[in-house]
Amino acid sequence: NAGVTQTPKFRVLKTGQSMTLLCAQDMNHEYMYWYRQDPGMGLRLIHYSVGEGTTAKGEVPDGYNVSRLKKQNFLLGLESAAPSQTSVYFCASSRPTTYEQYFGPGTRLTVT
Amino acid sequence: DQQVKQNSPSLSVQEGRISILNCDYTNSMFDYFLWYKKYPAEGPTFLISISSIKDKNEDGRFTVFLNKSAKHLSLHIVPSQPGDSAVYFCAASDGGSTLGRLYFGRGTQLTVWP
């Protein structure tokens, strides 16, 4: 089992460019999440999904969109990147019966 | 406003001694608490958890204590080892309508020195 994987691991974008971060999990988990981690800020929830075809806003959703077309994949999109979106992005997944979330290794994004 | 607070950004402990990491929360609806450990360039990994119906949970060298009246929990690591050096995040959930959503503290960097 690969667990939770994220693509890409690193990316540098210019202001205004767009990109999509891919998260995949092979644990058949219903729930998936996108977080961002900034220095001294901990993990903040961007968007989450409780099942295929469903998404919901988290704590810091502005500037991001998500899609969950397949149960195993959760995509995070930045339509017009801004320097404030420079961060490390983590994807996570979980079962609906437990609180424990399993995290991917992260994507380090720099917007210049 | 942060609902889960880790007021100590760092902690340094000698190998073999006890490490105590603290966490406070403000939301009385939180009913489940977790600790995650994070090494550099890796994702957080689950360490230990506790339900609000308990006041202590132990797993090997790791023990979590919950004081509901004070809205405070702590993670004890005994004995501390150099491999425990990492960032530790406290997280809480209110179960309910947010369906497993976790609220994280800002983390505490633990350094265990020989």
Side-chain angles (χ1 to χ4, degrees):
Chain A
N1 278 355
V4 179
T5 57
Q6 294 183 231
T7 309
K9 288 185 168 43
F10 303 94
R11 185 73 186 267
V12 178
L13 285 181
K14 293 188 185 277
T15 298
Q17 287 184 321
S18 63
M19 78 163 294
T20 301
L21 281 67
L22 170 64
C23 176
Q25 51 95 5
D26 61 2
M27 296 175 283
N28 202 34
H29 286 170
E30 289 289 337
Y31 296 174
M32 295 187 75
Y33 313 83
W34 276 107
Y35 292 91
R36 61 178 287 173
Q37 186 196 6
D38 302 295
M41 292 297 293
L43 291 154
R44 293 185 291 172
L45 184 65
I46 304 171
H47 286 280
Y48 63 101
S49 168
V50 299
E52 186 177 320
T54 71
T55 62
K57 293 180 180 180
E59 182 184 356
V60 288
D62 293 343
Y64 305 95
N65 56 76
V66 288
S67 64
R68 183 104 181 264
L69 299 179
K70 294 182 179 180
K71 185 177 183 179
Q72 64 268 35
N73 295 338
F74 195 27
L75 306 180
L76 177 71
L78 287 74
E79 290 187 349
S80 179
S84 61
Q85 294 178 304
T86 293
S87 188
V88 181
Y89 292 85
F90 290 101
C91 176
S93 70
S94 69
R95 300 182 187 91
T97 52
T98 67
Y99 292 93
E100 181 185 340
Q101 296 180 12
Y102 295 79
F103 283 82
T107 295
R108 183 174 293 275
L109 175 66
T110 301
V111 183
T112 61
Chain B
D1 192 26
Q2 280 239 297
Q3 299 186 62
V4 177
K5 299 178 184 180
Q6 294 177 257
N7 293 320
S8 298
S10 63
L11 176 67
S12 181
V13 172
Q14 187 174 25
E15 181 178 7
R17 310 278 253 199
I18 184 171
S19 295
I20 301 176
L21 293 91
N22 294 304
C23 178
D24 297 294
Y25 61 96
T26 58
N27 188 341
S28 59
M29 297 301 292
F30 286 151
D31 62 0
Y32 202 84
F33 304 88
L34 305 89
W35 284 93
Y36 279 81
K37 177 179 181 179
K38 184 184 179 306
Y39 292 118
E42 294 184 10
T45 55
F46 170 74
L47 187 59
I48 192 169
S49 62
I50 187 167
S51 165
S52 61
I53 63 173
K54 295 184 176 182
D55 55 17
K56 176 183 175 181
N57 188 28
E58 192 171 354
D59 183 2
R61 297 186 298 113
F62 303 91
T63 303
V64 56
F65 295 91
L66 176 62
N67 182 333
K68 283 185 64 179
S69 60
K71 295 192 178 68
H72 176 83
L73 63 155
S74 60
L75 173 68
H76 292 211
I77 306 173
V78 184
S80 302
Q81 299 173 355
D84 296 329
S85 297
V87 176
Y88 290 78
F89 290 103
C90 173
S93 175
D94 62 7
S97 63
T98 48
L99 293 174
R101 174 174 171 174
L102 296 180
Y103 296 81
F104 284 85
R106 296 185 177 188
T108 296
Q109 171 71 58
L110 173 65
T111 301
V112 181
W113 48 280

